[in-house]
Amino acid sequence: LLIWLISLSSGINAEYGEHSNVNQKHFLHIWNRLKGHTSAWPFLEPVKTEIAPDYYQYIKYPSDLKTIGEKLNQGYYKTKKMFIADVHRIFNNCRMYNDPNTEYYKYAGNLQKFFISELKEAGLYDD
């Protein structure tokens, strides 16, 4: 029974091993790099209703770099998939709300390309 429990727990660790401190450090590093990118300024904080009054009528699951940082500090991201999905949500929301000819749309594309390159560099990108 003990051997079975040990093998079961090691299987769980392998499955959820992405929660390791190593990946958390990668997430934090990538998040910091994203915040410093020249195309990041529209995504640093939640969208303000003074700027886009109807934003939250269209976007039901908002995401931004400030909120992602708070989630990182709380240890929210248990897997790389969770972290990647939240960051991609920023870009998808932007493209859903904004016209393709806007600077915001362009910045979303630029930052997403940079994000993917950072994921690849950290060994976190699955094709």
Side-chain angles (χ1 to χ4, degrees):
L1 181 61
L2 182 59
I3 293 171
W4 179 77
L5 285 174
I6 291 170
S7 68
L8 178 63
S9 69
S10 66
I12 290 170
N13 289 339
E15 185 177 350
Y16 294 102
E18 294 177 301
H19 182 53
S20 70
N21 287 337
V22 171
N23 278 344
Q24 291 298 316
K25 287 176 185 174
H26 283 306
F27 299 161
L28 229 113
H29 173 75
I30 291 169
W31 174 73
N32 275 308
R33 297 269 296 146
L34 288 173
K35 287 190 323 172
H37 193 276
T38 56
S39 293
W41 66 266
F43 314 111
L44 293 174
E45 295 189 356
V47 172
K48 293 176 178 52
T49 52
E50 304 86 58
I51 296 171
D54 62 349
Y55 183 79
Y56 295 100
Q57 293 169 8
Y58 291 98
I59 304 301
K60 299 302 179 198
Y61 302 102
S63 188
D64 60 88
L65 293 171
K66 179 180 179 185
T67 303
I68 288 173
E70 291 166 356
K71 288 179 175 182
L72 277 168
N73 287 332
Q74 296 163 2
Y76 172 82
Y77 297 110
K78 304 299 182 200
T79 66
K80 69 179 180 182
K81 189 178 255 186
M82 291 173 69
F83 174 70
I84 291 169
D86 256 8
V87 176
H88 278 301
R89 185 172 289 120
I90 295 171
F91 313 130
N92 295 337
N93 288 347
C94 178
R95 284 191 284 262
M96 187 183 305
Y97 183 78
N98 293 287
D99 186 85
N101 297 321
T102 63
E103 63 182 340
Y104 301 111
Y105 200 97
K106 179 182 135 196
Y107 290 147
N110 291 344
L111 196 58
Q112 188 168 34
K113 285 177 190 164
F114 180 71
F115 176 56
I116 291 169
S117 72
E118 289 293 307
L119 288 172
K120 287 178 179 176
E121 189 175 311
L124 298 173
Y125 186 76
D126 299 324
D127 292 78

